[in-house]
Amino acid sequence: MSPRHLGPYALQLRRVLVLTAAFVAVFITIISGPQLIPPCDSPPEMAQWAVYSPNLGLPLAAGLFALVAARTWADTGWFALVRLYLVCYLLLVVACAALPSASLSSPIPSEYLRALVSATNPVLALYPLAALCCAAVLEERHTVAYLCAIAPLQILALMEADPGNGLPQNAIGPLYFLLFSMLNAGTLHWAMRIAHDLDRTRLNTREAQRALANERARGRARARSNGLIHDYVLSALVLAFNRSVEEGEVRAAADSALSALTPGP
């Protein structure tokens, strides 16, 4: 799927979704601010912010591109940025779920990854934002696959951050956000289908109007041609059935009619 292949209604609706995603990213970051905004004299906290920052920067950049999307390059820009954000969010969830348990050496210590799924839990709160972005740039089946793949990773990340809680308690939040995100994505894709239907109707209407205009033009040309043939043939027949007209004049009139009806080189 590419924005170049979208009709005006579907494209405008996707731009609105991207702008909404930018506002949601800002809102989630403000809600998670006490946990995510680092103090100026704390370099380790800055590392944690660097891990989270694509979840704010990429949606904001995509929203700016969608806001000025009067050109093809701007639509291509927000489309690529939103897809890049979905990749970054998936990688962040994978890192929160896998790196602490695997005890692998990474540039970001495991406690920073655990902090992203504790307290206000910004990674889990980004689930609806991912649903908005999926509806804007992915097909329906790809959206379902993406959102369903996030849920078990979220559960693993929560279990790593809080081992004291059992699986049922840690699964409540991800499953709730999964259902909520699937409901939102389904509604948005349903609205997208309506927009695509409007685009197809608009295209069919234009094609029908174009075909009607062509048929009218052919009809007018045919009417002029028939009128021309009628005039010349009728005048020759009138002379032919007029007994007072010499045969030579009739032949001359017929030759004149034939020469007038024969197209030029």
Side-chain angles (χ1 to χ4, degrees), residues 101-165:
S101 60
S103 299
L104 298 177
S105 59
S106 64
I108 307 301
S110 59
E111 56 266 21
Y112 301 147
L113 298 175
R114 290 191 180 97
L116 291 172
V117 291
S118 61
T120 56
N121 203 345
V123 173
L124 186 58
L126 290 169
Y127 222 144
L129 174 61
L132 282 174
C133 294
C134 286
V137 298
L138 296 181
E139 300 290 345
E140 295 178 11
R141 61 182 182 275
H142 298 152
T143 298
V144 173
Y146 183 90
L147 295 178
C148 290
I150 294 293
L153 296 174
Q154 293 275 15
I155 295 174
L156 290 176
L158 287 173
M159 293 185 67
E160 289 296 330
D162 192 1
N165 291 332

Side-chain angles (χ1 to χ4, degrees), residues 4-244:
R4 298 178 181 178
H5 303 149
L6 297 174
Y9 293 108
L11 185 59
Q12 189 64 26
L13 181 56
R14 292 174 192 273
R15 290 171 182 168
V16 173
L17 287 182
V18 174
L19 286 173
T20 305
F23 283 112
V24 171
V26 173
F27 177 77
I28 293 173
T29 304
I30 292 174
I31 294 298
S32 303
Q35 181 179 346
L36 294 174
I37 299 177
C40 299
D41 56 348
S42 179
E45 295 292 336
M46 290 295 295
Q48 179 183 328
W49 173 252
V51 173
Y52 178 84
S53 59
N55 297 284
L56 175 64
L58 291 176
L60 275 181
L64 291 177
F65 274 99
L67 190 62
V68 298
R71 304 284 184 180
T72 304
W73 63 265
D75 286 322
T76 305
W78 65 253
F79 192 85
L81 286 172
V82 171
R83 285 199 164 185
L84 179 60
Y85 164 69
L86 292 176
V87 173
C88 291
Y89 178 59
L90 180 60
L91 292 178
L92 177 61
V93 178
V94 170
C96 292
L99 291 181
S101 60
S103 299
L104 298 177
S105 59
S106 64
I108 307 301
S110 59
E111 56 266 21
Y112 301 147
L113 298 175
R114 290 191 180 97
L116 291 172
V117 291
S118 61
T120 56
N121 203 345
V123 173
L124 186 58
L126 290 169
Y127 222 144
L129 174 61
L132 282 174
C133 294
C134 286
V137 298
L138 296 181
E139 300 290 345
E140 295 178 11
R141 61 182 182 275
H142 298 152
T143 298
V144 173
Y146 183 90
L147 295 178
C148 290
I150 294 293
L153 296 174
Q154 293 275 15
I155 295 174
L156 290 176
L158 287 173
M159 293 185 67
E160 289 296 330
D162 192 1
N165 291 332
L167 177 61
Q169 292 180 351
N170 285 323
I172 291 176
L175 291 179
Y176 170 79
F177 276 95
L178 173 63
L179 294 176
F180 179 74
S181 301
M182 292 287 283
L183 178 61
N184 288 341
T187 304
L188 293 175
H189 279 295
W190 174 73
M192 206 70 66
R193 283 189 178 184
I194 295 177
H196 284 297
D197 291 339
L198 290 174
D199 288 326
R200 281 193 292 269
T201 302
R202 179 174 176 270
L203 180 60
N204 293 336
T205 301
R206 285 192 171 186
E207 291 179 351
Q209 291 175 346
R210 189 180 302 110
L212 180 60
N214 292 337
E215 187 62 31
R216 286 178 176 175
R218 284 194 291 267
R220 288 192 294 267
R222 193 180 301 113
R224 287 194 297 268
S225 176
N226 292 339
L228 184 64
I229 294 173
H230 177 270
D231 292 342
Y232 279 105
V233 172
L234 184 60
S235 61
L237 289 176
V238 167
L239 292 176
F241 283 96
N242 193 346
R243 296 183 178 180
S244 62

